[in-house]
Amino acid sequence: MKIVLQRVSSASVTIESKVVADIQKGLLILVGIEDMDGQEDIDWLVGKITKIRVFDDENHVMNLSVQDIDGDVIVVSQFTLHAATKKGNRPSYIKAAKPDIAIPLYESFIEKLESEVGKTVQTGVFGADMKVSLLNDGPVTIIMDSKNKE
């Protein structure tokens, strides 16, 4: 499971001109799921996401987590995070999980994240054509891969 975590001042997701998610200060998380992912990957990533210190304290040092600041979170599914680009110019998405595997894992990821942050996590719609807007704060962007825990 791969994620791109971005610290944002604001973010939103729009589908067919309708805003389906909208947050202020917090995290926008893009999630890519592959066939080999499972609960262990979810648990590890959620543990990292909820504790990662990417928000400034009173001394302007990144020392606070999303929980510490009572920040908001949006999660968006993004199979293109598993793009293989080694050959040719057209990315291959063969490693990305099909919906029958990805959807339950995506939903489990959101449930676990909500449980850990103690608030509702807003989301896009799995498989939809989404327009994601964000004001990246910093910019702070972190990539995590549950297969590279070491």
Side-chain angles (χ1 to χ4, degrees), residues 65-134:
S65 71
V66 70
Q67 290 177 301
D68 294 332
I69 66 154
D70 193 31
D72 294 322
V73 179
I74 291 181
V75 174
V76 176
S77 64
Q78 189 168 357
F79 74 94
T80 60
L81 290 179
H82 288 289
T85 57
K86 189 174 182 178
K87 293 182 181 177
N89 294 316
R90 183 183 174 129
S92 168
Y93 305 107
I94 194 103
K95 291 178 84 177
K98 303 293 183 265
D100 61 320
I101 293 171
I103 291 172
L105 289 171
Y106 174 73
E107 291 172 350
S108 180
F109 177 81
I110 293 163
E111 288 172 18
K112 176 83 174 178
L113 192 53
E114 285 180 333
S115 170
E116 294 295 318
V117 297
K119 62 174 22 178
T120 299
V121 169
Q122 296 191 47
T123 67
V125 175
F126 190 95
D129 180 17
M130 296 175 270
K131 307 303 179 212
V132 179
S133 297
L134 69 137

Side-chain angles (χ1 to χ4, degrees), residues 4-73:
V4 174
L5 176 145
Q6 295 180 299
R7 182 178 80 179
V8 298
S9 297
S10 62
S12 64
V13 178
T14 303
I15 301 171
E16 295 179 3
S17 301
K18 181 178 184 247
V19 176
V20 298
D22 187 23
I23 66 168
Q24 293 306 306
K25 188 173 185 174
L27 300 173
L28 169 67
I29 303 169
L30 306 175
V31 180
I33 299 168
E34 61 183 6
D35 288 338
M36 303 300 290
D37 291 332
Q39 192 62 46
E40 164 184 311
D41 300 284
I42 292 168
D43 294 344
W44 183 80
L45 281 170
V46 168
K48 285 292 205 181
I49 291 164
T50 56
K51 292 176 183 67
I52 195 161
R53 298 182 304 171
V54 295
F55 294 94
D56 291 349
D57 63 15
E58 64 280 353
N59 298 314
H60 305 288
V61 176
M62 288 196 291
N63 227 2
L64 303 174
S65 71
V66 70
Q67 290 177 301
D68 294 332
I69 66 154
D70 193 31
D72 294 322
V73 179

